Structure formats: structure tokens, C-alpha cells
Amino acid sequence: MSISKDDYSKMADKASPNSPVILNCIKAFLIGGAICLFGQILFTVFEKAGMGEKEVQAATSSVLIILTAILTGIGVFDKIARHAGAGTIVPITGFANSVVSPALEFQHEGFILGTAAQMFTIAGPVIVYGIGSSFIYGLILYIFKLY
């Protein structure tokens, strides 16, 4: 029995439910905004505690990374992400989740070949292209003396 591509496409469209795009966008906006609001609250608390600008930035980022890693480890972040979708890809929390998730998934293969080897499978390309694009940006600024 052979099925044509058109027939298969029709069957797949019929079997897969339509996504509630507007509702998903609203959830992503609200939950992503709540994550950013929490980050801003942390920033303000650290600032009011008398920390310098660089220390406030480092402390805020560190707390967001640690909380995301903990929430990913205990399975809560995935439940939040299921509802928020792209809203949880706020850069620092999404990055922390992309490092911790593969590490947890492959921990049964051992510390070296499982956790450590798989930890950057998702985050690795982000790091590579982030460093590459920042180098190009810096080079452009240097060449055109835009700094």
C-alpha cells in the first residue's frame, strides 16, 4: 500500500490539532514578561542593598541562572515552559535551561560521557555564534571607529 505525499499531508493535517496561536502568544508574553519583571525586581533589590552596578548585574544574572537550573532539575521549569512556550526563552533563563536539560537527560550514561559531554549540545551553537557575531560587531566598530 502506497500513499502519495498529498494524501499523507492531508492525513497529517487532519490528525494534528490546530494550535491556539493567539492564546500561545499571550501566554508567552505574560510569562516571559513575568520572568523579566522578576529579574528587574532582583536588580532593584540588589541595587538598594548598596551593590555597585557591575555587582548588581552579576548577582541578578547569577540568581536567575541558579533558579532556572534548580527549577529545571526538579521538573518545574518544563511545566512552566509547556504553557509559556517562547516566553521562557528569555536569554539567560533559556540558556540555563538549555545547559541543564541535556545534562540531566544523559546523566545515566555517566558523569564524563553523559552529563559533561552532552551539557552543551544545545547551548554550544549559541555560544559559538554569539562569540562569532560579537567579534564581527567589535571589528566593525573598530574599523569605523564607532566606539
Side-chain angles (χ1 to χ4, degrees):
M1 180 172 140
S2 161
I3 299 175
S4 70
K5 287 185 178 183
D6 290 335
D7 289 340
Y8 181 79
S9 178
K10 288 177 186 175
M11 287 173 40
D13 289 342
K14 190 185 232 184
S16 61
N18 291 334
S19 296
V21 176
I22 301 297
L23 179 62
N24 289 346
C25 288
I26 291 169
K27 285 181 179 180
F29 177 78
L30 292 175
I31 296 173
I35 292 170
C36 292
L37 176 64
F38 179 67
Q40 185 62 48
I41 290 168
L42 285 174
F43 188 92
T44 303
V45 167
F46 291 135
E47 199 172 46
K48 296 288 183 193
M51 293 180 163
E53 184 179 346
K54 291 196 184 253
E55 289 83 12
V56 169
Q57 293 170 355
T60 302
S61 298
S62 297
V63 169
L64 287 172
I65 290 169
I66 291 167
L67 283 176
T68 302
I70 291 169
L71 291 175
T72 299
I74 61 175
V76 173
F77 196 83
D78 293 336
K79 291 177 184 174
I80 295 169
R82 194 171 300 126
H83 293 285
T88 56
I89 306 177
V90 174
I92 203 130
T93 57
F95 183 77
N97 179 260
S98 73
V99 171
V100 174
S101 292
L104 291 172
E105 185 177 340
F106 291 97
Q107 70 182 356
H108 67 278
E109 293 182 19
F111 186 70
I112 303 290
L113 296 177
T115 301
Q118 299 297 326
M119 193 177 284
F120 292 101
T121 54
I122 296 172
V126 174
I127 294 169
V128 169
Y129 287 109
I131 291 171
S133 61
S134 64
F135 174 78
I136 292 169
Y137 179 72
L139 190 62
I140 291 169
L141 288 178
Y142 179 76
I143 290 171
F144 294 106
K145 309 281 189 223
L146 298 173
Y147 54 93

